[in-house]
């Protein structure tokens, strides 16, 4: 009778330990849920951005340069300065002045194209890297949770063997 009581208590203890371990695992799942969700969302943004036509597959185009409000403003201000300087010397309508304005516009556009291209690349890289970092947080949370799940399963399995032996 005493042996039966002891075996029953040992089996009950094993079941209680298993229930506690499972509760701890569920708590870990709840604790990591925000990181997992953020990672899933960021991974979705990366996946969409890398799909055909997505934001990370877009190529820089001259229209991006011309739509930059700073480009138009600075180009106009430089042209006005050249015109005012030529007008002050009485050379506003001269061929040299028009040629100078044309050269300024071409040189400015060439320089600004490089600057706008670099800004585009930097912006694309920043957006991609931020999403990749958040996706990495989610991946880490999932990996840690997976290890905790395997450990929990092993411990519960050991508890079940112990209960069976009892």
């Amino acid at each position: 009778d005493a042996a039966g009581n002891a075996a029953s208590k040992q089996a009950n203890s094993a079941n209680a330990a298993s229930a506690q371990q499972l509760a701890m695992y569920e708590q870990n799942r709840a604790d990591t849920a925000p990181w997992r969700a953020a990672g899933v969302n960021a991974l979705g943004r990366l996946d969409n951005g890398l799909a055909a036509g997505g934001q990370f597959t877009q190529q820089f185009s001259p229209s991006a340069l011309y739509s930059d409000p700073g480009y138009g403003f600075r180009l106009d201000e430089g042209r006005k300065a050249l015109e005012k300087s030529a007008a002050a010397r009485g050379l506003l309508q001269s061929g040299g002045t028009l040629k100078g304005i044309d050269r300024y516009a071409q040189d400015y556009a060439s320089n600004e194209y490089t600057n706008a291209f670099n800004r585009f690349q930097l912006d694309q890289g920043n957006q991609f890297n931020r999403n990749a970092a958040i996706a990495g947080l989610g991946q880490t949370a999932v990996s840690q949770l997976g290890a905790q799940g395997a450990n929990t399963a092993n411990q519960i399995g050991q508890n079940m063997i112990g209960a069976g032996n009892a």
Side-chain angles (χ1 to χ4, degrees):
D1 201 33
N5 283 340
S8 179
K9 286 183 180 183
Q10 191 173 355
N12 288 342
S13 294
N15 290 336
S18 293
Q20 182 62 37
Q21 287 165 337
L22 186 58
M24 292 296 292
Y25 174 72
E26 292 300 329
Q27 182 62 50
N28 287 333
R29 281 188 57 81
D31 290 345
T32 60
W35 284 271
R36 289 184 288 121
V40 167
N41 291 337
L43 187 59
R45 287 190 298 272
L46 286 173
D47 192 40
N48 289 336
L50 292 170
Q55 77 179 85
F56 301 125
T57 63
Q58 299 298 314
Q59 299 295 315
F60 183 76
S61 68
S63 64
L65 172 65
Y66 300 128
S67 65
D68 180 2
Y71 169 77
F73 173 77
R74 290 187 300 271
L75 180 64
D76 286 344
E77 292 300 307
R79 182 186 48 77
K80 287 177 190 174
L82 288 172
E83 289 174 351
K84 286 178 183 178
S85 173
R89 292 179 280 136
L91 301 171
L92 180 60
Q93 298 300 320
S94 73
T97 298
L98 296 175
K99 185 177 178 182
I101 290 171
D102 184 53
R103 179 180 303 273
Y104 168 77
Q106 289 180 13
D107 289 347
Y108 184 77
S110 177
N111 289 334
E112 277 304 302
Y113 185 88
T114 300
N115 292 338
F117 175 78
N118 289 338
R119 282 191 301 273
F120 175 82
Q121 294 286 44
L122 182 64
D123 184 53
Q124 290 284 75
N126 284 341
Q127 290 181 47
F128 181 88
N129 291 336
R130 287 179 184 138
N131 282 306
I134 294 170
L137 291 173
Q139 181 183 14
T140 299
V142 168
S143 294
Q144 290 174 346
L145 189 60
Q148 292 167 352
N151 186 45
T152 299
N154 287 333
Q155 290 299 316
I156 290 173
Q158 291 298 317
N159 293 343
M160 293 171 82
I161 290 170
N165 288 339

